[in-house]
Amino acid sequence: MTQNTAQKTPVTLLGLGAMGTALARTWLTAGHPLTVWNRTPGRAAGLVGEGAKPAGSAAEAVAASTLVVVCLLDDASVGEALADADLAGKDLVNLTTTTPAQARARGEWARERGARYLDGGIMAVPPMVGIPEAGGYVFYSGSKELFAEHRETLAVPVGTTYVGEDAGHAALYDVALLSAMYGMISGATHAFALIRKEDIDPVAFAPLLVDWITAMAGPSITQTGKQLTSGALTEDVVSNLAMQVAGVPTFLTTAEEQGVSPELISPFFELMRRRLALGSGDEDLTGVVDLLVRGK
Ligand code: FVH
């Protein structure tokens, strides 16, 4: 542990899985008095050797500090772990991945027990924690006062981005960004499948894919955001939907020629076709958002 521990905000951390352990180390290194608890006690041993104080139960750990951070498997495990804890007067920060509705309900649950509540969505993997240049951060939402008071302590492991008082919004931003990531990776997966049986080196192909996705994603995503706000879906259109749908058979036939299942890309093409059938040929792809939300 570093010096000046007495001046640093004490932290209680419940959950010493891969992420919890990474978070714990950064608070210890920064000199925060740290109380830890994990359902399986053996996992605390390393951290205790580094200066953490082990608690015999979750309730005991909660009693040790005003600021209580939980990083457990899922919402059910949070309920189980905190079942016997006295949360009155506590500042509960829940970094467990949940749905927005679960986060809102957990916030209400905490308030009923006398705690202030902040929910967090971690946009980092354990090796990024404590490495500022890795770019990891946590979306926070819920109690503005709690966030303002503990911002400095919460910023020790990774950056912080506060997205408002609705406790469900951190989880929503988290899942939205991860969903976009899976969509992007599914596109790259299809691209690699197309070249798989050819004499093309995937290692040499990868940077072409990265550069192309980087060049296309930024302007396209920015444009979608602007059009959704303005409602002007035919403004500043570069590649209109009619032209893009006309190109769909080329993509599907190429997949067939290469012996690749189109199951990753077909659903999006189907949505593009449905949007075109509504007379939206002069738009670009933004209208597909409304198609997903409204079903038309
Ligand atoms: N690791 C990652 O890459 C991601 C990055 C983004 C954010 N996630 C979320 O962070 C939460 C914790 O993830 P983790 O990586 O620490 O997960 P595990 O290593 O599997 O550790 C799980 C901990 O939860 C404890 N636990 C499970 N069930 C219960 C329960 N019923 N009561 C009390 N504790 C429970 C488990 O304890 P044990 O198995 O050691 O006894 C671990 O401490 C998670 O929401 C990710 O989605 C990580």
Side-chain angles (χ1 to χ4, degrees):
M1 224 191 302
T2 58
Q3 288 161 2
N4 299 328
T5 296
Q7 295 158 23
K8 300 286 176 111
T9 303
V11 179
T12 280
L13 176 66
L14 306 186
L16 299 175
M19 184 52 82
T21 301
L23 298 172
R25 287 229 152 79
T26 66
W27 280 310
L28 283 175
T29 304
H32 289 263
L34 182 70
T35 302
V36 293
W37 173 84
N38 194 66
R39 181 182 59 175
T40 307
R43 292 185 94 164
L47 291 166
V48 170
E50 294 167 40
K53 192 168 171 256
S57 67
E60 189 187 313
V62 169
S65 323
T66 299
L67 179 58
V68 177
V69 179
V70 291
C71 187
L72 299 172
L73 187 64
D74 54 16
D75 181 62
S77 51
V78 174
E80 263 178 54
L82 292 175
D84 299 326
D86 179 5
L87 291 177
K90 300 296 175 183
D91 286 337
L92 182 62
V93 178
N94 185 9
L95 299 183
T96 306
T97 302
T98 66
T99 71
Q102 285 172 331
R104 288 182 187 121
R106 189 57 65 194
E108 203 42 50
W109 176 92
R111 277 188 291 278
E112 283 165 6
R113 283 158 181 75
R116 294 192 295 189
Y117 184 81
L118 192 64
D119 202 84
I122 305 176
M123 305 310 296
V125 289
M128 294 164 77
V129 174
I131 316 277
E133 55 278 18
Y137 64 95
V138 175
F139 282 122
Y140 285 106
S141 69
S143 170
K144 195 164 39 172
E145 295 74 24
L146 192 170
F147 180 71
E149 277 173 41
H150 294 297
R151 183 180 202 150
E152 212 178 306
T153 303
L154 296 174
V156 167
V158 284
T160 63
T161 301
Y162 182 74
V163 291
E165 294 190 76
D166 183 329
H169 277 189
L172 183 58
Y173 277 67
D174 181 358
V175 173
L177 263 60
L178 290 176
S179 301
M181 177 193 79
Y182 282 117
M184 184 188 71
I185 289 174
S186 79
T189 300
H190 182 80
F192 276 117
L194 288 179
I195 65 152
R196 188 70 177 138
K197 291 188 207 147
E198 306 284 338
D199 184 20
I200 298 173
D201 178 6
V203 171
F205 184 70
L208 300 174
L209 205 47
V210 170
D211 288 352
W212 178 243
I213 287 175
T214 305
M216 295 308 290
S220 165
I221 291 168
T222 304
Q223 165 93 323
T224 301
K226 280 185 187 160
Q227 288 183 341
L228 287 173
T229 299
S230 70
L233 303 196
T234 55
E235 214 164 80
D236 300 325
V237 169
V238 176
S239 305
N240 71 46
L241 188 62
M243 179 280 293
Q244 294 200 54
V245 171
V248 164
T250 302
F251 290 90
L252 295 178
T253 307
T254 301
E256 198 179 337
E257 286 173 5
Q258 297 302 109
V260 169
S261 164
E263 63 197 304
L264 281 176
I265 54 168
S266 288
F268 195 68
F269 288 151
E270 186 48 34
L271 285 162
M272 286 163 59
R273 280 187 175 130
R274 278 170 54 199
R275 183 69 191 178
L276 179 65
L278 295 172
S280 304
D282 292 338
E283 300 174 0
D284 50 27
L285 297 172
T286 302
V288 174
V289 175
D290 288 336
L291 198 56
L292 284 175
V293 174
R294 297 192 209 125
K296 60 185 173 71

